[in-house]
């Protein structure tokens, strides 16, 4: 029996680890049924004729008001459409991103935009561009031979 004796300090850590693991398991279980959402789950797209769901608009930059824009971005092998977006400084841009084929990434440098572009889904987020300059965006999910040429840029023009 002497071999089974556990140091009290060690035992304390084992119990603490067990509690933490149990908590994580509970969190995974709860989120699986109540809180877990894939990006863009609320916006399903029609992926086959008559398949129901919405259609993704033609890729475009649409002005919604002073300093407010919507960008409908289609990722495809191996380009972003549109690949160049021009907006005045101080604009808030909402990006609606989908993929025409496989899974792509969408990351804009010097912003907190970092999305997945999924076929049949729309991923949506907004960012404000205050500082004039060029903000390149990239695909950051490996998507085939041309992955490394898949990029574009947001050009923020100074108001003057
Ligand atoms: Cu698209 Cu990598």
């Amino acid at each position: 029996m002497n071999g089974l004796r556990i140091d009290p300090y060690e035992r304390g850590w084992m119990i603490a680890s067990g509690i933490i693991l149990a908590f994580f398991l509970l969190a995974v279980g709860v989120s699986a049924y109540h809180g877990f959402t894939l990006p863009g789950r609320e916006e399903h797209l029609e992926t086959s004729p008559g398949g129901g769901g919405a259609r993704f608009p033609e890729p475009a930059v649409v002005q919604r008001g002073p300093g407010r824009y919507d960008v409908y971005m289609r990722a495809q092998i191996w380009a972003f459409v549109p690949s160049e977006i021009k907006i005045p400084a101080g604009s808030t841009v909402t990006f609606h991103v989908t993929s025409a084929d496989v899974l792509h990434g969408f990351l804009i440098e010097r912003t907190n935009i970092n999305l997945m572009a999924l076929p049949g889904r729309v991923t949506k987020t907004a960012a404000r561009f205050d500082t004039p300059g060029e903000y390149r965006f990239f695909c950051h999910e490996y998507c085939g031979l041309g992955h490394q040429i898949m990029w574009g840029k947001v050009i923020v023009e100074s108001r003057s």
Side-chain angles (χ1 to χ4, degrees):
M1 283 306 282
N2 206 29
L4 284 178
R5 204 196 155 289
I6 298 167
D7 180 82
Y9 186 72
E10 183 98 30
R11 186 197 304 272
W13 280 108
M14 286 166 76
I15 291 169
S17 309
I19 290 169
I20 290 168
L21 278 178
F23 174 76
F24 286 163
L25 193 64
L26 185 73
V28 169
V30 168
S31 63
Y33 290 99
H34 298 289
F36 185 73
T37 51
L38 285 170
R41 184 174 177 173
E42 77 279 9
E43 292 190 66
H44 262 263
L45 291 178
E46 183 171 0
T47 47
S48 58
R55 283 184 182 282
F56 194 70
E58 278 301 299
V61 181
V62 182
Q63 184 165 13
R64 297 291 183 201
R68 286 199 304 117
Y69 293 83
D70 276 299
V71 170
Y72 297 91
M73 169 75 69
R74 188 178 66 216
Q76 60 193 49
I77 47 173
W78 287 284
F80 290 104
V81 186
S83 63
E84 199 174 288
I85 297 159
K86 271 190 193 158
I87 46 158
S91 298
T92 299
V93 184
T94 304
F95 292 89
H96 310 255
V97 182
T98 192
S99 165
D101 34 55
V102 298
L103 192 148
H104 298 279
F106 180 65
L107 181 151
I108 308 181
E109 64 177 356
R110 291 182 285 132
T111 69
N112 59 0
I113 291 192
N114 181 346
L115 302 175
M116 305 278 272
L118 304 162
R121 300 282 175 93
V122 180
T123 318
K124 194 170 128 185
T125 196
R128 194 183 150 98
F129 294 87
D130 282 322
T131 312
E134 287 191 4
Y135 298 72
R136 288 166 299 171
F137 50 83
F138 306 93
C139 177
H140 61 81
E141 293 289 339
Y142 183 70
C143 56
L145 285 180
H147 165 70
Q148 73 280 0
I149 60 164
M150 197 170 164
W151 65 282
K153 59 190 169 184
V154 178
I155 300 166
V156 180
E157 295 170 323
S158 62
R159 298 168 174 272
S160 56

